């Protein structure tokens, strides 16, 4: 196991270098000039050049890239061109709310999605299955943006129970968390249903039933455990997506997460922040995938590393 | 039942405490806006969302009233010396920055020099190009000398651009700290905190020098990027006031009891602009396009987003000159025929096998812009011109125009882009602010690529001189005639500012110049 983890962590190095190189290249070849954006609308050519020099963008590209990598290795991701803050500070500030939101969405997904899928599979082709499948379908189909506004209308405006925007307390997390979790809830419910149906048709389930085990033991111990691999994989990928930020949900609820930070930085051609944010998101994806792989061994003892 | 003396005392005490706590309750004005500030440093700030906040913390030497009258702020009066190029400012005495440092001539000198530092110019340097040097006369008098006679210079200082920064404090804490967590100005509100992407908090400056000052204890600028969420936040009562109300929501908010709205025409105008060096866009084709624009129809469609525009500013601004052509589809067709563009069966015009097709680069940042362009698209189609709307973000938009202008200036490269949509506001109360282009020495900003016209430059210089108003107006008319002949910049509509608030917000007046003024704004009941 330790060797496996060590190997996977070593693989991080080329992956992250690749991410850095691609991000650097893409930002540089995108139309638009950060010096023009930072210098303002009324800037003269001389002012733009002065800004370019101040931001270090007047140097040859290989030098810029080399310096960036050297500093990144030491944990310095540079300074935002527009906001003047350290990129690490900005990302740190954005990751906290994003992490909280992802946690709520994940809890919603697991607590709603998995049971919904199980009920649906066990009560296949009944009215309960029909309702559960409809709920799951709505979950994967409804745009976050629209659902978020509906939630605000209902819970903030008409009922007055929860705040409509911002951060600060646990109450601020509920509406955006549920909104962000709807898609994955629907997805996991559908996935759980189909893998449970597959599993429940296996011979060993028939055997288990035949030897007189209680219905719920069959479903949970034999059924869910074996359907689990697929669910854990998708949940893991989904956690990566949630942590990478959801710009739509963050915008509707004015949530200062990493999705909005990244999109705003792209619009401002704030290369330093764009590079830093993508690097951090890449690290999150890689680490989450590693954790998922480790979880396989827990879910399915047959898997060893 | 008799009340014992002791109980009476308790009751009175309790009442007193309740009353006192009512009196001490903090009044907080919460404003929901789409965009966050970029920093708190007036030397670096560059957009309206930022200057709304920095201009509440800092102040300029002069300022504009909502009626566009130039009035004293940190300067009490000013005069032009006999040499015709030196402006003498008499400064307000006894004013302190939020840090406690005094405001004086030394500070003003440092502010000018920092903004105009050639090695690291501030954001307003391009607009104060006439500036040459600044000299302290005595503690409260200062002379600013220009390269050439210019009367608009003082008006430029009235825009939220050259704000007086606390010199000693800036040097003590350094640029970064000043920009992010420690600005110090003379304004009615002092800085408390900024959480990027979330909010800026200001508090009343109790020692404010002016007669009309802060009337609330705190001001909070909340960032609510989504316009629908912003409206909902006002309706739930979480914010007191919202800026940038979507036009289609104005009537509904107006009709809601407990809410009020402000519809204010601003000095910001949306233009259709054309690259005069583009092979299709010859003078007559530009004239034809100008004739094909029906402003009333555009205005009817965009509703509360704006009103028809005929010049660089609305009527009443100094230098107003209607440079538009009347809506005349037949005249447009005639001009296009004259240029050899013949109408095909598909309704579009062609010449030498090429369709008369142009692409309009639009950022879509101004509300109503895209709707207006869609109407324009149909209007141009009616005369056989195909206009596609190409949405790009602001950075790509600026880059395309700057690169094209430089390439044409340097090697006469024929541009590949043809049209774009711009939005620009006047900040001096007169149209010269936007007619500063195209001047001969400009390269990067000559986006319309009009050939160097010395007569235009000369008229422009005259329009900015300290002459009497009639003479300046005459010079502006010359500029207007050229603009009309060129038709490179076709005004479409003046942007309307849409603001909504609870009825409890009192004393708020919108400044059409995009300058937020919270002096005297209070929260009644």
């Amino acid at each position: 196991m330790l060797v496996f983890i060590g190997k996977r962590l070593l693989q991080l190095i080329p992956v992250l270098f690749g991410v850095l190189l691609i991000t650097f290249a893409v930002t540089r070849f995108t139309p638009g000039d950060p010096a023009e954006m930072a210098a303002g609308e009324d800037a003269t050519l001389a002012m733009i050049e002065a800004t370019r020099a101040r931001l270090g963008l007047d140097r040859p590209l290989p030098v810029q890239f080399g310096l960036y990598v050297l500093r990144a290795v030491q944990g310095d991701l540079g300074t935002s061109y527009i906001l003047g803050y350290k990129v690490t500070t900005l990302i740190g500030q954005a990751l906290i709310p994003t992490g909280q939101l992802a946690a709520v969405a994940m809890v919603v997904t697991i607590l709603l999605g998995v049971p919904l899928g199980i009920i649906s599979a066990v009560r296949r082709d009944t009215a309960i299955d029909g309702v559960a499948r409809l709920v799951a379908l709505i979950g994967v189909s409804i745009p976050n943006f629209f659902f978020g506004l509906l939630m605000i209308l209902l819970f903030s405006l008409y009922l007055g129970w929860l705040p409509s925007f911002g951060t600060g307390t646990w109450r601020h997390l509920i509406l955006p968390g549920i909104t962000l979790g709807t898609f994955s809830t629907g997805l996991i419910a559908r996935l759980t249903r189909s893998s449970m149906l597959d599993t429940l048709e296996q011979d060993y389930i028939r055997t288990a039933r035949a030897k007189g085990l209680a219905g719920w033991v069959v479903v949970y111990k034999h059924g869910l455990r074996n359907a689990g691999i697929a669910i854990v994989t998708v949940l893991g990928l989904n956690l990566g997506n949630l942590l990478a930020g959801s710009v739509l949900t963050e915008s509707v609820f004015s949530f200062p997460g990493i999705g909005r930070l990244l999109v705003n930085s792209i619009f401002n051609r704030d290369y330093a922040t764009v590079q830093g944010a993508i690097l951090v998101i890449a690290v999150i994806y890689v680490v989450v995938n590693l954790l998922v792989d480790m979880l396989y061994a827990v879910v399915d003892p047959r898997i060893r590393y | 039942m008799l009340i014992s003396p002791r109980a009476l005392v308790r009751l009175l005490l309790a009442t007193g405490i309740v009353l006192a706590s009512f009196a001490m309750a903090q009044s907080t004005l919460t404003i929901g806006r789409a965009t966050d500030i970029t920093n708190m440093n007036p030397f670096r700030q560059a957009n309206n969302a930022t200057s709304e906040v920095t201009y509440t913390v800092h102040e300029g030497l002069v300022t504009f009233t909502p009626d566009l009258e130039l009035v004293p702020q940190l300067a009490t009066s000013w005069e032009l010396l006999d040499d015709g190029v030196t402006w003498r400012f008499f400064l307000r005495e006894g004013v302190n920055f939020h840090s406690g440092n005094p405001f004086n001539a030394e500070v003003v000198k440092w502010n000018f020099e920092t903004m105009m530092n050639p090695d690291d110019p501030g954001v307003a340097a391009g607009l104060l190009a006439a500036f040459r040097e600044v000299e302290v006369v005595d503690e409260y008098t200062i002379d600013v000398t220009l390269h050439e006679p210019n009367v608009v210079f003082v008006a430029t200082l009235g825009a939220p651009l050259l704000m007086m920064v606390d010199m000693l404090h800036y040097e003590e804490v350094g640029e970064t700290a000043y920009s992010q967590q420690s600005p110090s100005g003379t304004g009615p509100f002092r800085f408390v905190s900024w959480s990027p992407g979330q909010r800026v908090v200001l508090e009343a400056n109790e020692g404010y020098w002016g007669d009309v000052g802060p009337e609330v204890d705190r001001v909070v600028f909340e960032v609510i990027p989504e316009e629908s969420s912003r409206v909902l936040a006002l309706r739930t009562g979480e914010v007191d006031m919202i800026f940038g109300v979507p036009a289609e929501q104005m009537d509904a908010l107006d009709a809601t009891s407990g809410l009020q709205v402000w519809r204010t025409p601003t000095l910001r105008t949306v233009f259709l602009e054309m690259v005069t060096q583009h092979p299709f866009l010859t003078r007559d084709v530009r004239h034809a396009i100008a004739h094909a624009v029906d402003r009333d129809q555009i205005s009817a469609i965009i509703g509360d987003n704006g009103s028809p525009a005929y010049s660089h500013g609305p009527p009443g601004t100094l230098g107003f000159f209607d440079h538009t052509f009347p809506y005349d589809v037949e005249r447009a067709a005639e001009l296009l025929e004259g240029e050899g563009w013949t109408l095909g069966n598909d309704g579009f015009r062609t010449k030498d096998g090429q369709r008369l097709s142009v692409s309009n680069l639009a950022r879509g940042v101004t509300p109503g812009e895209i709707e207006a362009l869609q109407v324009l698209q149909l209007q141009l189609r009616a005369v056989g011109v195909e206009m596609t709307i190409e949405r790009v973000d602001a950075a790509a938009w600026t880059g395309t125009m700057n690169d094209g202008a430089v390439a044409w200036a340097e090697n006469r490269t024929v541009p590949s882009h043809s049209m774009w949509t711009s939005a620009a506001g006047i900040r001096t109360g007169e149209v010269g602010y936007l007619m500063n282009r195209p001047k001969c020495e400009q390269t990067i900003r000559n986006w319309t690529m009009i050939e160097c016209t010395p007569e235009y430059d000369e008229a422009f210089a005259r329009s900015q001189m300290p002459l009497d108003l009639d003479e300046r107006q005459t010079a502006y008319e010359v500029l207007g005639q050229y603009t009309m002949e060129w038709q490179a910049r076709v005004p479409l509509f003046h942007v309307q500012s849409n603001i909504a608030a609870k009825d409890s917000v009192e004393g708020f007046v919108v400044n059409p110049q995009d300058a937020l003024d919270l002096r005297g704004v209070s929260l009644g009941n």
Side-chain angles (χ1 to χ4, degrees):
Chain A
M1 190 75 164
L2 281 177
V3 178
F4 168 75
I5 296 174
K7 266 190 195 161
R8 287 287 295 264
L9 287 178
L10 273 180
Q11 281 172 10
L12 252 179
I13 296 169
V15 169
L16 293 185
F17 185 80
V19 167
L20 271 185
L21 188 64
I22 292 170
T23 317
F24 185 87
V26 168
T27 50
R28 265 43 177 201
F29 294 118
T30 308
D33 179 350
E36 280 171 4
M37 294 308 284
E41 257 181 53
D42 299 302
T44 60
L45 198 51
M47 285 164 68
I48 294 173
E49 290 309 322
T51 309
R52 202 187 309 283
R54 180 164 63 86
L55 300 178
L57 291 168
D58 53 343
R59 296 184 200 150
L61 286 184
V63 176
Q64 284 183 43
F65 184 66
L67 281 175
Y68 184 75
V69 172
L70 268 182
R71 291 189 189 131
V73 169
Q74 298 161 38
D76 176 8
L77 295 178
T79 306
S80 160
Y81 298 166
I82 303 288
L83 297 170
Y85 279 89
K86 285 265 172 218
V87 171
T88 42
T89 310
L90 287 175
I91 292 174
Q93 281 172 356
L95 269 183
I96 296 169
T98 296
Q100 292 169 337
L101 207 55
V104 175
M106 213 47 193
V107 168
V108 169
T109 304
I110 295 171
L111 289 189
L112 282 180
V114 177
L116 208 61
I118 295 173
I119 294 172
S120 205
V122 174
R123 299 265 182 268
R124 186 182 181 180
D125 295 333
T126 62
I128 297 177
D129 181 30
V131 172
R133 286 167 72 182
L134 185 68
V135 170
L137 186 67
I138 292 174
V140 290
S141 317
I142 198 164
N144 275 358
F145 180 80
F146 177 66
F147 188 65
L149 286 175
L150 287 184
M151 298 282 278
I152 297 179
L153 264 182
L154 181 60
F155 292 103
S156 306
L157 187 59
Y158 297 141
L159 298 172
W161 291 350
L162 294 164
S164 72
F165 75 92
T167 55
T169 67
W170 62 270
R171 297 173 69 240
H172 286 97
L173 289 171
I174 297 178
L175 294 185
I178 293 176
T179 305
L180 190 56
T182 47
F183 175 80
S184 47
T185 302
L187 186 74
I188 288 296
R190 287 162 68 91
L191 183 80
T192 307
R193 180 179 186 273
S194 65
S195 25
M196 281 295 281
L197 284 179
D198 282 348
T199 317
L200 291 178
E201 278 169 11
Q202 299 293 323
D203 292 341
Y204 57 81
I205 297 288
R206 203 177 308 132
T207 311
R209 286 200 204 279
K211 70 181 184 184
L213 282 180
W216 65 270
V217 177
V218 177
V219 170
Y220 291 97
K221 210 168 169 190
H222 298 268
L224 187 60
R225 194 77 186 254
N226 282 294
I229 289 279
I231 300 172
V232 167
T233 308
V234 174
L235 276 179
L237 288 174
N238 182 53
L239 180 64
N241 284 339
L242 294 177
L243 285 171
S246 161
V247 72
L248 287 183
T249 306
E250 285 174 10
S251 294
V252 172
F253 291 97
S254 318
F255 218 78
I258 197 142
R260 250 176 74 206
L261 177 71
L262 181 58
V263 170
N264 283 339
S265 310
I266 292 172
F267 282 140
N268 285 323
R269 298 298 185 273
D270 187 348
Y271 294 166
T273 313
V274 173
Q275 288 166 180
I278 290 183
L279 185 68
V280 169
I281 289 171
V283 172
I284 290 174
Y285 264 101
V286 174
V287 170
V288 168
N289 274 324
L290 176 61
L291 291 178
V292 168
D293 286 351
M294 286 158 65
L295 253 183
Y296 284 163
V298 179
V299 178
D300 188 345
R302 285 169 299 185
I303 296 175
R304 294 192 188 282
Y305 297 110
Chain B
M1 194 184 88
L2 281 173
I3 296 172
S4 73
R6 186 174 285 183
L8 194 64
V9 169
R10 273 200 206 133
L11 190 67
L12 284 175
L13 265 178
T15 319
I17 289 166
V18 170
L19 285 178
S21 61
F22 263 110
M24 282 163 66
Q26 288 252 319
S27 56
T28 302
L29 175 69
T30 309
I31 301 173
R33 308 187 305 159
T35 323
D36 194 13
I37 61 168
T38 54
N39 68 59
M40 285 299 303
N41 183 346
F43 296 122
R44 298 271 183 238
Q45 70 83 22
N47 56 40
N48 288 341
T50 303
S51 65
E52 278 173 354
V53 179
T54 45
Y55 204 48
T56 303
V57 172
H58 302 87
E59 297 179 300
L61 293 179
V62 293
T63 192
F64 278 99
T65 65
D67 304 323
L68 299 181
E69 192 192 338
L70 190 64
V71 293
Q73 199 161 49
L74 288 175
T76 51
S77 63
W78 52 94
E79 62 186 28
L80 184 61
L81 300 189
D82 289 340
D83 64 1
V85 290
T86 302
W87 286 93
R88 174 163 290 177
F89 291 91
F90 300 96
L91 306 177
R92 199 171 291 281
E93 297 181 24
V95 175
N96 286 324
F97 285 101
H98 299 152
S99 67
N101 292 326
F103 167 76
N104 54 36
E106 201 56 51
V107 170
V108 178
K109 177 181 157 75
W110 174 85
N111 267 279
F112 269 107
E113 287 174 348
T114 307
M115 184 62 88
M116 305 307 293
N117 178 2
D119 298 325
D120 186 8
V123 282
L127 293 167
L128 302 174
F131 171 87
R132 197 174 78 190
E133 59 179 357
V134 56
E135 223 172 294
V136 172
V137 179
D138 62 43
E139 197 179 351
Y140 294 107
T141 312
I142 194 152
D143 283 349
V144 179
T145 308
L146 308 180
H147 285 296
E148 58 197 12
N150 189 316
V151 70
V152 190
F153 179 76
V154 182
T156 311
L157 301 182
L161 285 165
L162 189 86
M163 309 176 205
M164 291 299 131
V165 166
D166 184 344
M167 167 180 80
L168 295 172
H169 184 71
Y170 191 94
E171 288 176 340
E172 189 187 314
V173 300
E175 183 189 325
T176 306
Y178 191 95
S179 304
Q180 295 168 0
Q181 298 302 340
S182 187
S184 164
T186 57
F189 290 90
R190 59 167 80 225
F191 178 85
V192 176
S193 66
W194 173 32
S195 322
Q198 290 187 67
R199 69 178 65 81
V200 182
V201 181
L202 309 180
E203 66 180 5
N205 170 15
E206 297 302 343
Y208 184 62
W209 59 267
D211 295 334
V212 183
E215 295 287 328
V216 289
D217 297 314
R218 278 187 171 229
V219 176
V220 179
F221 294 92
E222 293 280 0
V223 182
I224 309 180
E226 252 317 302
E227 52 185 29
S228 312
S229 307
R230 216 149 57 231
V231 171
L232 285 171
L234 176 68
R235 285 186 178 278
T236 61
E238 289 162 279
V239 300
D240 300 304
M241 191 174 209
I242 52 172
F243 293 173
V245 178
E248 63 277 10
Q249 296 264 5
M250 284 298 277
D251 288 338
L253 289 174
D254 200 4
T256 306
S257 78
L259 298 179
Q260 54 182 329
V261 300
W262 288 265
R263 296 177 165 94
T264 319
T266 67
L267 301 191
R268 211 168 170 74
T269 309
V270 170
F271 299 95
L272 163 71
E273 306 215 37
M274 291 182 257
V275 179
T276 57
Q277 301 300 327
H278 188 275
F280 289 179
L281 296 174
T282 56
R283 192 202 70 154
D284 280 3
V285 172
R286 297 197 306 272
H287 282 199
I289 289 173
H291 274 299
V293 179
D294 179 357
R295 286 173 182 75
D296 294 330
Q297 191 184 30
I298 292 177
S299 182
I301 299 286
I302 64 171
D304 264 322
N305 283 308
S307 50
Y310 303 92
S311 171
H312 283 86
T317 44
L318 182 61
F320 173 85
F321 183 92
D322 181 348
H323 74 261
T324 61
F325 284 163
Y327 172 56
D328 187 344
V329 180
E330 274 129 54
R331 178 72 189 129
E334 207 176 288
L335 283 163
L336 291 169
E337 294 285 341
E339 285 287 280
W341 292 100
T342 50
L343 204 56
N345 292 331
D346 58 355
F348 291 113
R349 289 178 188 274
T350 52
K351 182 165 81 173
D352 307 329
Q354 275 186 303
R355 181 186 279 193
L356 183 45
S357 176
V358 284
S359 169
N360 192 322
L361 292 174
R363 296 169 295 177
V365 288
T366 311
E369 179 185 336
I370 296 299
E371 291 84 345
L373 288 182
Q374 285 163 345
V375 181
L376 182 68
Q377 194 171 35
L378 290 174
Q379 292 173 353
L380 293 187
R381 199 186 191 298
V383 297
V385 178
E386 180 182 56
M387 182 184 86
T388 55
I389 302 167
E390 193 181 332
R391 274 192 85 160
V392 291
D393 71 356
W397 186 86
T398 313
T400 306
M401 251 66 87
N402 279 350
D403 294 351
V406 171
W408 180 73
E410 282 171 359
N411 355 303
R412 300 282 140 180
T413 309
V414 178
S416 55
H417 63 291
S418 48
M419 267 187 184
W420 72 96
T421 310
S422 68
I426 291 176
R427 293 182 128 173
T428 49
E430 50 187 278
V431 298
Y433 189 85
L434 294 182
M435 299 189 86
N436 194 10
R437 302 164 194 169
K439 289 209 295 187
C440 289
E441 80 267 18
Q442 282 160 341
T443 50
I444 193 161
R445 295 299 183 193
N446 185 8
W447 291 358
T448 51
M449 302 182 202
I450 286 170
E451 298 280 0
C452 167
T453 313
E455 295 82 1
Y456 185 92
D457 287 16
E458 204 180 296
F460 183 81
R462 280 187 70 74
S463 76
Q464 309 295 295
M465 277 185 192
L467 307 166
D468 70 66
L469 274 184
D470 283 349
E471 281 183 77
R472 295 186 57 212
Q473 186 66 42
T474 310
Y476 267 133
E477 266 161 38
V478 175
L479 298 181
Q481 296 288 359
Y482 275 107
T483 313
M484 192 162 181
E485 165 65 16
W486 288 329
Q487 288 298 339
R489 195 173 228 194
V490 180
L492 296 179
F493 66 94
H494 294 306
V495 178
Q496 177 174 307
S497 143
N498 292 324
I499 293 176
K502 293 178 188 169
D503 279 343
S504 56
V505 175
E506 288 169 6
F508 180 68
V509 183
V510 184
N511 189 315
Q513 238 181 197
D514 294 328
L516 179 64
D517 185 358
L518 294 175
R519 291 170 190 81
V521 177
S522 64
L523 284 167
N525 290 308

